[in-house]
Amino acid sequence: MAGGPRFAPFAGERVALVGLGRAGLPAALRLRDWGAEVTVWDDRAEARAAAEAAGLALRDVSSGPFPADALLLSPGIPHAMPSPHPAAERARDAGVPILCDVEYLFRAVRAAGSGAAFVGITGTNGKSTTTALVHHLLRGAGRVAEVGGNLGPAALGLKMLGSDGVYTLEMSSYMLERIATVVFNLGVMLNLSPDHLDRHGSMAGYAAAKARIFAGQRPEDLAVLGQDDPMTAAMAPAVTARLVPISGRRRVAGGIWAEGMSLRDEAGEIADLRAAPALPGAHNAQNAAAAAAVAFGLGLTRAQVAAGLAGFPGLAHRQEGVGSLGGVAFVNDSKATNVDSAARALGSYDRVVWIAGGMGKEGGIEGLAPFFPRIARAFLIGRDAAAFAQTLAEAGVPHEVAGTLEAAVPAAAAAALGGAAPVVLLSPAAASFDQFTGFDARGDRFRALVRAMIAGAAGSPGGKAA
């Protein structure tokens, strides 16, 4: 309110912030605005220069006595494994908590007296789609809502909401390790498969980090739990909130599930997923079930959920349709940086020309063997193309080492247009950092190449693009 006292929930608190990337700099500025004494550091000179230009105090907290009451550490910087950042070591030696920005958003909202709902969504795969889908459903129903976290805007860049508001936050395992007082009114755990084991040490450590999505929940809260992999389903006994099981494959008593293309609960059909083209495959059926469970928990109607699912536009780089040519659809699933995620995409189509490769995870693509019969031909890129090629050769899958996307896209298009398959699918099953700055840059390049090819075909004599 104009003329009222300044909102300063962190007055008198000293916060050291290390990592001034997408989330770090906005967090430092917001904390300063909210009264905290903030010192910042980044190992990159350009990031320090940007912070100094914003009037923030620079201090390397990697040595000497720790000068703050808390360390806000960028999620990408390890605090324990594989080796801790020196600032984290100093904080740990001083008994100082290591936190993430969601912790401060939660504390600020509650300090303001707001009962805004906090929805936390995690899982190895599907969390971005589910987060965006929940937010889409809420906004479609006219609810006051903000979305961010690991997806999109940083938590401390979101607006303050009143008690009628909803924060939907994608939570990575790195972030969940660094919450202290956050309690999600609605927590969602989708699935679990091997990933980030260098940071968590083992699958048990990874699962323990993910399970923190349910930490501190009360009986009146909601816990939405995937049932399509055993490690996620096994978390049920530790849940203290009202449990809603979900599945994209089979009926689950008391929950929400998909039977074929019908999303259902005990009361009957919620939605026909054939009307939701941006949500193909059983994995997206589970994402839809999770979003519906959250929506019902927040008071949305069945009609609102059905309409929202049908109107969901999908997310970039997650089975994103980027165009078609001569009856062949081109699909950008660059976000598939591991085998489990690529399996979900491959399982969504009967026959594909596959573009894959990059920096493969442990075990390569051997885990995709059940889907090899769906691959008409593969075109491989990146650092581990030769290793992927060896696996495909042993399985008798036709393939070529293209090396780059620039070579793979026209070759894959030619194969598909020649009758090999109706879909060209970029679903790399590998990280992108050998050739790109991230999966998004890889997907952007694929999209640009496809659209340039379609435009060229449309502009050629007799050319036709659909």
Side-chain angles (χ1 to χ4, degrees):
M1 185 169 63
R6 176 190 176 200
F7 180 61
F10 304 115
E13 293 191 31
R14 300 174 303 157
V15 180
L17 188 151
V18 175
L20 292 164
R22 177 184 64 83
L25 187 56
L29 296 172
R30 194 74 175 275
L31 289 171
R32 183 182 65 182
D33 290 346
W34 281 343
E37 179 186 322
V38 182
T39 57
V40 302
W41 188 257
D42 195 292
D43 295 335
R44 300 167 299 147
E46 64 273 20
R48 296 196 299 272
E52 194 167 28
L56 292 165
L58 293 173
R59 179 170 180 176
D60 186 355
V61 296
S62 297
S63 60
F66 199 77
D69 305 310
L71 172 63
L72 201 167
L73 190 63
S74 170
I77 301 175
H79 68 273
M81 293 180 284
S83 59
H85 189 278
E89 290 186 302
R90 298 285 82 73
R92 190 170 59 239
D93 291 346
V96 167
I98 301 172
L99 304 172
C100 74
D101 59 351
V102 172
E103 177 70 25
Y104 285 98
L105 175 67
F106 181 83
R107 291 183 185 180
V109 169
R110 295 298 184 246
S114 170
F118 276 76
V119 179
I121 298 172
T122 198
T124 303
N125 296 297
K127 55 186 178 291
S128 294
T129 294
T130 304
T131 300
L133 181 54
V134 167
H135 185 65
H136 174 79
L137 295 178
L138 291 170
R139 294 301 297 269
R143 300 291 291 272
V144 177
E146 288 280 284
V147 65
N150 195 53
L151 167 75
L156 285 176
L158 301 179
K159 296 176 183 177
M160 290 289 285
L161 299 179
S163 294
D164 61 343
V166 180
Y167 292 99
T168 304
L169 302 171
E170 178 184 325
M171 298 294 295
S172 70
S173 57
Y174 300 167
M175 296 165 70
L176 286 166
E177 286 186 310
R178 298 175 187 165
I179 59 173
T181 66
V182 177
V183 176
F184 291 107
N185 305 98
L186 302 98
V188 179
M189 174 63 195
L190 295 166
N191 51 63
L192 200 65
S193 59
D195 208 5
H196 307 308
L197 299 188
D198 59 329
R199 279 284 294 264
H200 301 293
S202 65
M203 277 300 291
Y206 181 43
K210 289 291 193 183
R212 289 187 57 76
I213 201 75
F214 302 129
Q217 283 193 312
R218 302 151 298 183
E220 63 267 29
D221 294 325
L222 188 72
V224 180
L225 188 64
Q227 302 295 300
D228 291 342
D229 68 275
M231 289 194 73
T232 303
M235 294 181 182
V239 168
T240 55
R242 180 168 66 90
L243 177 65
V244 178
I246 56 166
S247 174
R249 303 179 185 278
R250 60 184 176 84
R251 183 184 185 279
V252 286
I256 299 177
W257 67 90
E259 291 180 14
M261 299 302 291
S262 178
L263 188 68
R264 309 182 68 83
D265 63 7
E266 301 287 4
E269 184 171 81
I270 299 166
D272 183 347
L273 294 176
R274 290 175 297 184
L279 296 167
H283 62 296
N284 273 318
Q286 189 195 50
N287 295 339
V294 171
F296 292 153
L298 291 169
L300 272 65
T301 67
R302 298 171 81 86
Q304 288 171 329
V305 169
L309 294 174
F312 181 58
L315 287 179
H317 315 301
R318 297 157 179 87
Q319 288 184 260
E320 171 198 8
V322 298
S324 60
L325 179 63
V328 172
F330 292 80
V331 178
N332 168 22
D333 193 47
S334 183
K335 182 63 168 63
T337 59
N338 58 50
V339 163
D340 190 62
S341 187
R344 293 164 185 263
L346 287 168
S348 299
Y349 308 99
D350 293 332
R351 195 75 170 155
V352 302
V353 174
W354 186 37
I355 300 176
M359 299 172 66
K361 305 291 177 72
E362 184 177 353
I365 56 170
E366 293 178 4
L368 292 174
F371 300 95
F372 287 169
R374 298 173 184 246
I375 300 170
R377 192 166 194 86
F379 293 87
L380 305 171
I381 65 172
R383 186 193 72 181
D384 291 331
F388 284 22
Q390 182 176 348
T391 301
L392 294 176
E394 291 170 355
V397 177
H399 63 278
E400 296 177 24
V401 174
T404 65
L405 270 181
E406 287 76 9
V409 168
L417 290 166
V423 175
V424 172
L425 173 66
L426 170 69
S427 191
S432 58
F433 299 114
D434 53 337
Q435 295 180 321
F436 301 93
T437 57
F439 73 83
D440 49 350
R442 177 171 62 190
D444 289 344
R445 184 60 180 150
F446 175 78
R447 187 192 304 110
L449 289 166
V450 169
R451 290 183 176 171
M453 182 177 60
I454 291 171
S460 66
K464 182 179 180 182

